[in-house]
Coordinates of all heavy atoms in Angstrom, one line a residue:
L92 N -9.4 -9.3 3.0 CA -10.3 -8.7 2.0 C -11.6 -9.6 1.8 O -12.7 -9.1 1.9 CB -9.6 -8.5 0.6 CG -10.5 -8.2 -0.6 CD1 -11.3 -6.8 -0.3 CD2 -9.7 -8.1 -1.8
L93 N -11.4 -10.9 1.6 CA -12.5 -11.8 1.4 C -13.2 -11.9 2.7 O -14.5 -11.9 2.7 CB -11.9 -13.1 1.0 CG -11.3 -13.2 -0.5 CD1 -10.7 -14.5 -0.7 CD2 -12.4 -12.9 -1.5
L94 N -12.5 -12.1 3.8 CA -13.2 -12.3 5.1 C -14.0 -11.1 5.5 O -15.1 -11.2 6.0 CB -12.1 -12.6 6.2 CG -12.6 -12.8 7.6 CD1 -13.5 -14.0 7.7 CD2 -11.5 -12.9 8.6
G95 N -13.4 -9.9 5.3 CA -14.1 -8.7 5.8 C -15.4 -8.5 5.1 O -16.4 -8.1 5.7
V96 N -15.4 -8.7 3.8 CA -16.7 -8.5 3.0 C -17.7 -9.6 3.2 O -18.8 -9.4 3.4 CB -16.4 -8.3 1.5 CG1 -17.6 -8.1 0.7 CG2 -15.4 -7.1 1.3
M97 N -17.2 -10.9 3.0 CA -18.1 -12.0 3.1 C -18.7 -12.2 4.5 O -19.9 -12.5 4.6 CB -17.3 -13.3 2.7 CG -16.9 -13.4 1.3 SD -18.2 -13.3 0.1 CE -19.1 -14.8 0.4
A98 N -17.9 -11.9 5.5 CA -18.4 -12.1 6.9 C -19.0 -10.8 7.4 O -19.4 -10.7 8.6 CB -17.3 -12.6 7.8
D99 N -19.0 -9.7 6.6 CA -19.5 -8.4 7.0 C -18.8 -7.9 8.3 O -19.5 -7.5 9.2 CB -21.0 -8.4 7.1 CG -21.6 -7.0 7.1 OD1 -20.9 -6.1 6.5 OD2 -22.7 -6.9 7.6
I100 N -17.5 -8.0 8.4 CA -16.8 -7.5 9.5 C -16.6 -6.0 9.4 O -15.8 -5.6 8.5 CB -15.4 -8.3 9.7 CG1 -15.7 -9.8 9.9 CG2 -14.7 -7.7 10.9 CD1 -14.4 -10.6 9.9
S101 N -17.2 -5.3 10.2 CA -17.2 -3.8 10.0 C -16.1 -3.2 10.9 O -16.1 -3.4 12.1 CB -18.6 -3.2 10.4 OG -18.6 -1.8 10.3
I102 N -15.2 -2.5 10.3 CA -14.1 -1.8 11.0 C -14.2 -0.3 10.5 O -14.3 -0.1 9.3 CB -12.7 -2.4 10.7 CG1 -12.7 -3.8 11.2 CG2 -11.6 -1.6 11.4 CD1 -11.4 -4.5 10.9
N103 N -14.1 0.6 11.4 CA -14.1 2.0 11.0 C -13.0 2.3 10.0 O -11.8 2.0 10.2 CB -13.9 2.9 12.2 CG -14.0 4.4 11.9 OD1 -13.0 5.0 11.4 ND2 -15.1 5.0 12.2
A104 N -13.4 2.9 8.8 CA -12.5 3.1 7.7 C -11.3 4.0 8.1 O -10.2 3.8 7.7 CB -13.2 3.7 6.5
F105 N -11.6 5.0 8.9 CA -10.6 6.0 9.3 C -9.5 5.3 10.2 O -8.3 5.5 10.0 CB -11.1 7.2 10.1 CG -11.9 8.2 9.2 CD1 -13.2 8.3 9.3 CD2 -11.2 8.9 8.3 CE1 -13.9 9.2 8.5 CE2 -11.8 9.8 7.4 CZ -13.2 10.0 7.5
L106 N -10.0 4.4 11.1 CA -9.1 3.7 12.0 C -8.2 2.7 11.2 O -7.0 2.6 11.5 CB -9.8 3.0 13.1 CG -10.4 3.9 14.2 CD1 -11.1 3.1 15.3 CD2 -9.3 4.8 14.8
I107 N -8.8 2.0 10.3 CA -8.0 1.0 9.6 C -7.0 1.7 8.7 O -5.9 1.2 8.5 CB -8.9 0.0 8.8 CG1 -8.2 -1.3 8.4 CG2 -9.5 0.7 7.6 CD1 -7.7 -2.1 9.6
D108 N -7.4 2.8 8.1 CA -6.5 3.5 7.2 C -5.4 4.2 8.1 O -4.3 4.4 7.6 CB -7.2 4.6 6.4 CG -8.0 4.0 5.3 OD1 -7.7 2.8 4.9 OD2 -8.8 4.7 4.6
A109 N -5.7 4.5 9.3 CA -4.6 5.0 10.2 C -3.6 4.0 10.5 O -2.4 4.3 10.5 CB -5.3 5.5 11.5
I110 N -4.0 2.7 10.7 CA -3.1 1.6 10.9 C -2.3 1.4 9.6 O -1.0 1.1 9.7 CB -3.8 0.3 11.3 CG1 -4.5 0.5 12.6 CG2 -2.9 -0.9 11.4 CD1 -5.4 -0.6 13.1
I111 N -2.9 1.5 8.5 CA -2.1 1.4 7.2 C -1.1 2.5 7.1 O 0.0 2.2 6.7 CB -3.1 1.4 6.0 CG1 -4.0 0.2 6.0 CG2 -2.4 1.6 4.7 CD1 -5.1 0.2 4.9
A112 N -1.4 3.7 7.5 CA -0.5 4.8 7.5 C 0.7 4.5 8.5 O 1.9 4.7 8.2 CB -1.2 6.1 8.0
L113 N 0.4 3.9 9.6 CA 1.4 3.5 10.6 C 2.3 2.4 10.0 O 3.5 2.4 10.3 CB 0.8 2.9 11.9 CG 0.4 4.0 12.9 CD1 -0.3 3.3 14.1 CD2 1.6 4.8 13.4
S114 N 1.8 1.6 9.1 CA 2.6 0.6 8.5 C 3.7 1.2 7.6 O 4.8 0.7 7.5 CB 1.8 -0.4 7.6 OG 1.3 0.2 6.4
I115 N 3.4 2.3 7.0 CA 4.3 3.1 6.2 C 5.4 3.7 7.1 O 6.6 3.6 6.7 CB 3.6 4.2 5.4 CG1 2.6 3.6 4.4 CG2 4.6 5.0 4.6 CD1 1.7 4.6 3.8
V116 N 5.0 4.2 8.2 CA 6.0 4.8 9.1 C 6.9 3.7 9.6 O 8.1 3.9 9.7 CB 5.2 5.5 10.3 CG1 6.2 5.9 11.4 CG2 4.4 6.6 9.8
Y117 N 6.3 2.6 10.0 CA 7.0 1.4 10.5 C 8.1 1.0 9.5 O 9.3 0.8 9.9 CB 6.1 0.2 10.8 CG 6.8 -1.1 11.0 CD1 7.2 -1.5 12.3 CD2 7.1 -1.9 9.9 CE1 7.8 -2.6 12.5 CE2 7.8 -3.1 10.2 CZ 8.2 -3.5 11.5 OH 8.8 -4.6 11.7
K118 N 7.8 0.8 8.2 CA 8.7 0.3 7.3 C 9.8 1.3 7.0 O 11.0 0.9 6.8 CB 8.0 0.0 5.9 CG 8.8 -1.1 5.1 CD 8.9 -2.4 5.9 CE 10.0 -3.3 5.4 NZ 11.3 -3.1 6.0
G119 N 9.5 2.6 7.0 CA 10.6 3.6 6.8 C 11.5 3.6 8.0 O 12.7 3.7 7.8

Side-chain angles (χ1 to χ4, degrees):
L92 167 61
L93 293 172
L94 178 64
V96 178
M97 294 299 296
D99 197 23
I100 300 175
S101 180
I102 301 177
N103 184 279
F105 286 112
L106 287 182
I107 197 66
D108 283 347
I110 295 174
I111 291 174
L113 276 177
S114 73
I115 300 170
V116 176
Y117 168 91
K118 204 65 197 84

